[in-house]
């Protein structure tokens, strides 16, 4: 672990050198400090807070103000890691709205923002980059579209759907995203997209061949109020200590032990 700040250039360098990237969600200063000290490269203030903190059945009720509050808290506990803030549901429906929402989250302490969606986002992505806001994309199972998908379902299993996700990923990279989260897709598609993009691809239920892995901290510690997703693992159960659990998560990702076949989709 180094005290040097993690930037988008750091993550790109890690991909080029074949070193896996570790990402955890964080929502407060105390856990952010713990994760930061253990060596997690990226902290994500996810709209998952709607489910794991607020007890909602999905992420849709989360507001920009909610994300901004928790981003500010995480920033206070973070010295080294890159801090990414989620843009919540319907906070980026037009470029103009996108800029205002992103500005609020950057002012709260984010160093990058994340948006769910495909090539329709390209205009907003380019506009954000021109205005000095780094962007992380999110494809595959995009939780804000849960009602369109008819539930939290694996995406990209058909050849047509897989090709569309790949095309969206390439379009978003061309528009300027510097990172991509790929959620709940077959391992073969996770591998293909990671190899097709020059930017890092962070998987969550996207198999072992992406450039890094992200988990919701409550899932990683086995304390989620709702359910444990197939792609997650309770690292606290096998360590008995939170710090050791985080270290095990980091080590298992770096060594290619996690995710295993049991955490992936065919």
């Amino acid at each position: 672990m180094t005290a040097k700040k993690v930037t988008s250039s750091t993550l790109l360098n890690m991909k080029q050198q074949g070193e896996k990237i570790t990402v955890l969600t964080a929502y407060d200063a105390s856990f952010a400090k713990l994760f930061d000290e253990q060596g997690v490269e990226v902290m994500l203030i996810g709209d998952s807070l709607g489910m794991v903190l607020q007890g909602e059945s999905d992420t849709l009720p989360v507001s920009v103000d909610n994300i901004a509050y928790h981003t500010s808290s995480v920033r206070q506990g973070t010295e080294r890691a890159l801090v990414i803030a989620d843009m919540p549901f319907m906070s980026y429906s037009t470029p103009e709205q996108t800029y205002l929402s992103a500005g609020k989250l950057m002012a709260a302490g984010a160093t990058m923002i994340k948006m769910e969606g495909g090539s329709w986002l390209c205009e907003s992505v380019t506009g954000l980059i021109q205005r000095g806001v780094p962007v992380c994309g999110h494809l595959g199972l995009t939780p804000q579209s849960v009602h369109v998908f008819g539930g939290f379902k694996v995406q990209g299993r058909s050849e047509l759907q897989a090709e569309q996700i790949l095309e969206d990923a390439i379009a978003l990279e061309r528009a300027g995203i510097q990172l991509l989260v790929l959620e709940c897709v077959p391992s073969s598609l996770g591998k293909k997209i990671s190899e097709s993009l020059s930017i890092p691809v962070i998987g969550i239920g996207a198999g072992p061949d992406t450039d890094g892995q992200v988990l919701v901290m409550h899932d990683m510690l086995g304390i989620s109020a709702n359910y444990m997703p197939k792609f997650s693992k309770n690292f606290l159960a096998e360590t008995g200590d939170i710090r050791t659990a985080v270290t095990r998560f980091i080590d298992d990702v770096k060594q290619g032990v996690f995710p295993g076949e049991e955490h992936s989709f065919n």
Side-chain angles (χ1 to χ4, degrees):
M1 176 178 168
T2 173
K4 189 175 181 181
K5 280 189 178 293
V6 176
T7 67
S8 56
S9 296
T10 308
L11 303 182
L12 181 60
N13 212 27
M14 290 176 70
K15 175 180 174 111
Q16 293 168 345
Q17 294 179 1
E19 181 183 354
K20 297 288 188 180
I21 300 162
T22 57
V23 185
L24 284 174
T25 64
Y27 313 97
D28 63 39
S30 297
F31 274 104
K33 185 174 188 293
L34 189 153
F35 298 161
D36 199 50
E37 290 173 347
Q38 299 310 112
V40 173
E41 282 90 21
V42 180
M43 235 84 75
L44 170 64
I45 299 86
D47 59 3
S48 50
L49 69 87
M51 300 174 76
V52 298
L53 297 187
Q54 298 173 340
E56 301 286 354
S57 59
D58 54 45
T59 65
L60 273 58
V62 177
S63 68
V64 174
D65 285 341
N66 291 154
I67 298 288
Y69 171 83
H70 289 281
T71 298
S72 178
S73 299
V74 168
R75 171 52 68 193
Q76 294 303 313
T78 305
E79 292 184 5
R80 172 183 174 271
L82 184 77
V83 176
I84 302 178
D86 250 342
M87 295 271 275
F89 180 64
M90 291 300 288
S91 67
Y92 49 99
S93 56
T94 66
E96 292 72 20
Q97 184 190 29
T98 301
Y99 305 150
L100 292 173
S101 299
K104 191 165 191 174
L105 297 182
M106 293 293 285
T111 42
M112 183 179 287
I113 61 94
K114 181 172 77 66
M115 296 191 291
E116 299 179 8
S119 56
W120 65 273
L121 283 175
C122 286
E123 180 185 353
S124 292
V125 169
T126 300
L128 285 170
I129 299 299
Q130 290 171 341
R131 288 159 176 80
V133 179
V135 181
C136 173
H138 186 153
L139 291 171
L141 172 57
T142 47
Q144 292 173 17
S145 300
V146 61
H147 296 309
V148 174
F149 295 148
F152 294 98
K153 298 179 179 180
V154 179
Q155 302 297 303
R157 279 190 158 145
S158 73
E159 185 177 342
L160 183 63
Q161 197 178 53
E163 187 60 33
Q164 183 61 60
I165 294 172
L166 175 60
E167 288 177 4
D168 282 338
I170 292 171
L172 287 169
E173 180 179 38
R174 287 175 178 163
I177 66 167
Q178 294 172 298
L179 200 65
L180 177 69
V181 169
L182 190 59
E183 181 170 355
C184 283
V185 299
S187 297
S188 56
L189 181 57
K191 184 175 190 291
K192 185 175 184 179
I193 291 176
S194 299
E195 291 174 346
S196 299
L197 301 187
S198 61
I199 60 170
V201 176
I202 308 300
I204 177 165
D209 298 309
T210 54
D211 304 303
Q213 299 292 329
V214 55
L215 284 181
V216 173
M217 59 166 279
H218 292 68
D219 293 341
M220 188 268 295
L221 297 174
I223 55 173
S224 289
N226 296 310
Y227 73 103
M228 178 67 73
K230 170 184 167 68
F231 54 71
S232 192
K233 178 181 177 181
N234 181 352
F235 285 87
L236 183 60
E238 61 183 39
T239 59
D241 174 79
I242 291 177
R243 284 180 173 80
T244 309
V246 175
T247 301
R248 180 71 59 84
F249 165 71
I250 294 170
D251 290 345
D252 283 4
V253 171
K254 299 284 187 189
Q255 295 168 16
V257 176
F258 178 81
E261 188 175 341
E262 68 272 27
H263 310 112
S264 306
F265 302 99
N266 297 318

